[in-house]
Amino acid sequence: MAHLLSTSCTLYISSNKHDYKPLNQRATVLPSYFNLIASSSPLKNLVFQGKRSQRCCTTIQATALPVSKEAKTQPTSGANQTSNEASQTKRVMVIGGDGYCGWATALHLSKKGYEVAIVDSLVRRLFDQQLGLDSLTPISSIHNRIRRWKSLTGKTILLHIGDVCDFEFLSETFKSFEPDAVVHFGEQRSAPYSMIDRSRAVFTQNNNVIGTLNVLFAIKEFSDQCHLVKLGTMGEYGTPNIDIEEGFITITHNGRTDTLPYPKQASSFYHLSKVHDSNNIAFTCKAWGIRATDLNQGVVYGVRTDETAMHEELYNRFDYDGVFGTALNRFCVQAAVGHPLTVYGKGGQTRGYLDIRDTVQCVELAIANPAERGEFRVFNQFTEQFSVNELASLVTKAGEKLGLEVQTKSVPNPRVEAEEHYYNAKHTKLVELGLKPHLLSDSLLDSLLNFTIEFKDRIDTKQIMPSVSWRKIGAKPKTVAA
């Protein structure tokens, strides 16, 4: 696990934000966390067992460089700001900022002039080691990433290494950084991972639900004006035979009318954790006056943003495996190596999709136009709808233009889901705030395919077939032999 650490960055330990003390020790300054990483039983220490706060980094905070008092400029998103409070939002905590969406978002916000702090346990990197997986793109350590960003832009991103399920650690982080907004990506985000076995299902629900509860309590206790921007999922809705509204639906029953939360039909333990989050956030907005925006995101594709393309040490993840990889990314990798595109079942499964560049744009719009105090907003965050068959057809045509022989085959669907269904989800609120979407054009598909061809030598074809079954939960996932 040496790649998780950058041994040349300065680490600070303190219980007071005005009293940071540099430590010359390197990997050893995080003994409890990295003992957890190196455990001979890699998952059991990740599952909450009532003693979690004793096992996590409760007082460690790390920065790539000492805190600087840089000039902070007002971010410009092109959005119409709806509140004077938007102009005051300068300090943004990105929980899960080492992950796919989080890293791209942290860089984007930093470039726009926000003061950014990343909070992450780095556990996503451990998942790859557990399952024998790897990103198509080589990923630098978080410390090297942040140092490179500083050298290229002069902008400092703070780094707090620890687990948000440890409230003592989270409390110290909130008190030291004092965020105006919290962007919460810090959850186990894979439906297949949550369906591998009992321990991973339990970990997913504990990590996601308890972590989000801790964030809500931290906002209440230490930063009650803070705006929570939480990454939800369109998967909360399922595939109902009626139009999907943005969070709420007005119904008339027995002559009476009310606007209620849209019914949820989650399809995995991961998606269920997101439903629990939404309910908890909505309740605390009502009870405590928290301001929150729930971004029900569709399936994200792509890897490059303007910021991550600046240097190879800023590259983002590109997951293509059967556990963390999404359909379009997986199809592009399969086309690059001559593997048939694997359509699950009948291929009629339809979902909302968006470019990673639109993910960061949507988050910025939500921050710049915050919810009112006590308001629970829900935005459906996607730009286009495609079925799996439609995606396969698009990749096939794009591949043929590049001289690739692309075939498609149907494989048994490992999931429990409708394979042919009605799907029409509303997604107007972010557009009204100023979202300028990057649609899935031929040129973008060419770019994605060329990108996968560039890193073709890093593709492990053993990892691109589904290895987790909803019906056979508990069976060991397939991994590569050492």
Side-chain angles (χ1 to χ4, degrees):
M1 299 298 294
H3 71 283
L4 292 180
L5 276 176
S6 168
T7 58
S8 60
C9 75
T10 304
L11 296 172
Y12 295 81
I13 181 170
S14 176
S15 59
N16 186 308
K17 69 176 179 177
H18 302 296
D19 184 31
Y20 286 99
K21 300 176 182 178
L23 297 176
N24 292 326
Q25 296 92 338
R26 295 179 179 180
T28 56
V29 303
L30 300 176
S32 59
Y33 174 71
F34 286 97
N35 284 343
L36 180 153
I37 292 293
S39 169
S40 59
S41 178
L43 188 68
K44 67 179 182 180
N45 290 329
L46 296 176
V47 180
F48 179 74
Q49 296 175 335
K51 298 181 180 180
R52 191 166 193 159
S53 63
Q54 299 175 11
R55 303 192 62 84
C56 302
C57 329
T58 58
T59 57
I60 293 295
Q61 302 177 58
T63 63
L65 292 169
V67 177
S68 66
K69 299 297 183 182
E70 302 175 48
K72 305 175 186 66
T73 59
Q74 172 58 27
T76 55
S77 65
N80 295 318
Q81 296 189 355
T82 58
S83 169
N84 290 332
E85 293 167 312
S87 63
Q88 300 171 6
T89 301
K90 295 182 179 180
R91 302 172 67 84
V92 181
M93 178 184 292
V94 182
I95 300 174
D98 188 45
Y100 174 53
C101 292
W103 175 241
T105 298
L107 294 188
H108 181 77
L109 294 176
S110 178
K111 183 180 179 181
K112 291 291 186 178
Y114 290 92
E115 186 172 349
V116 176
I118 286 175
V119 177
D120 205 300
S121 69
L122 309 184
V123 73
R124 174 63 185 88
R125 297 173 183 252
L126 175 61
F127 295 158
D128 279 355
Q129 292 220 349
Q130 288 176 339
L131 300 175
L133 309 175
D134 201 0
S135 165
L136 177 67
T137 48
I139 302 300
S140 296
S141 73
I142 184 62
H143 303 82
N144 285 344
R145 282 174 152 187
I146 290 175
R147 271 205 312 275
R148 178 59 62 184
W149 179 249
K150 174 73 174 182
S151 71
L152 291 171
T153 67
K155 295 180 181 294
T156 296
I157 293 178
L158 304 180
L159 173 63
H160 302 260
I161 298 178
D163 189 343
V164 297
C165 289
D166 173 7
F167 191 68
E168 183 180 353
F169 160 77
L170 188 62
S171 299
E172 290 300 318
T173 302
F174 261 78
K175 287 185 286 186
S176 67
F177 185 65
E178 299 178 344
D180 300 304
V182 173
V183 182
H184 186 13
F185 292 111
E187 300 195 320
Q188 193 296 102
R189 57 94 170 165
S190 165
Y193 187 90
S194 75
M195 300 299 295
I196 290 175
D197 54 25
R198 183 205 62 81
S199 60
R200 288 175 174 87
V202 171
F203 169 74
T204 297
Q205 297 242 340
N206 272 307
N207 181 80
N208 296 0
V209 178
I210 302 304
T212 298
L213 273 174
N214 277 349
V215 171
L216 291 167
F217 271 94
I219 292 173
K220 177 180 182 292
E221 294 185 25
F222 307 115
S223 189
D224 66 349
Q225 292 297 317
C226 182
H227 176 210
L228 173 62
V229 179
K230 167 67 165 57
L231 190 74
T233 171
M234 289 297 295
E236 292 185 35
Y237 298 121
T239 54
N241 198 37
I242 58 173
D243 290 355
I244 297 174
E245 305 297 332
E246 295 200 62
F248 300 89
I249 185 170
T250 300
I251 62 173
T252 299
H253 178 66
N254 290 341
R256 301 185 68 85
T257 300
D258 201 353
T259 298
L260 302 170
Y262 196 95
K264 305 296 178 69
Q265 300 182 71
S267 59
S268 73
F269 289 121
Y270 156 72
H271 292 105
L272 283 164
S273 75
K274 293 286 194 177
V275 173
H276 302 327
D277 289 338
S278 295
N279 289 332
N280 286 335
I281 296 169
F283 170 72
T284 56
C285 287
K286 181 187 299 184
W288 302 339
I290 284 177
R291 59 186 78 218
T293 302
D294 201 5
L295 300 176
N296 282 343
Q297 184 167 252
V299 183
V300 187
Y301 58 81
V303 65
R304 284 179 169 150
T305 63
D306 291 343
E307 295 77 28
T308 64
M310 290 171 63
H311 192 278
E312 62 184 8
E313 284 192 307
L314 302 181
Y315 279 174
N316 207 350
R317 300 189 64 88
F318 191 103
D319 295 311
Y320 63 91
D321 58 88
V323 177
F324 291 99
T326 54
L328 184 58
N329 285 359
R330 189 175 71 249
F331 285 170
C332 288
V333 166
Q334 290 170 337
V337 297
H339 189 289
L341 310 188
T342 51
V343 171
Y344 292 175
K346 296 178 180 178
Q349 302 93 320
T350 302
R351 302 289 186 270
Y353 288 80
L354 77 162
D355 191 299
I356 183 66
R357 293 172 293 179
D358 292 337
T359 290
V360 302
Q361 188 185 170
C362 290
V363 172
E364 184 194 357
L365 287 169
I367 294 171
N369 300 272
E372 299 296 329
R373 186 164 179 82
E375 180 184 10
F376 175 62
R377 301 188 304 189
V378 180
F379 297 162
N380 290 347
Q381 184 171 299
F382 69 95
T383 57
E384 297 178 277
Q385 293 181 177
F386 298 102
S387 70
V388 174
N389 285 330
E390 288 171 335
L391 288 180
S393 177
L394 290 170
V395 172
T396 298
K397 292 176 182 177
E400 289 173 349
K401 291 180 181 178
L402 297 176
L404 301 174
E405 294 185 8
V406 184
Q407 298 180 338
T408 300
K409 73 172 182 179
S410 175
V411 299
N413 192 348
R415 305 185 178 212
V416 176
E417 62 183 357
E419 296 177 359
E420 295 177 316
H421 56 84
Y422 176 80
Y423 196 83
N424 183 35
K426 306 293 179 60
H427 55 111
T428 62
K429 294 181 180 179
L430 284 161
V431 173
E432 291 168 358
L433 288 179
L435 173 63
K436 306 298 184 185
H438 299 81
L439 301 181
L440 187 58
S441 62
D442 290 343
S443 60
L444 179 58
L445 280 170
D446 288 346
S447 175
L448 272 175
L449 283 168
N450 280 311
F451 187 84
T452 57
I453 292 170
E454 177 185 351
F455 291 96
K456 183 177 177 180
D457 292 343
R458 290 178 54 85
I459 297 173
D460 180 1
T461 57
K462 298 184 183 68
Q463 299 297 340
I464 58 182
M465 292 295 289
S467 60
V468 180
S469 170
W470 268 228
R471 292 180 174 84
K472 298 178 181 179
I473 187 169
K476 292 183 178 180
K478 299 176 183 177
T479 57
V480 179

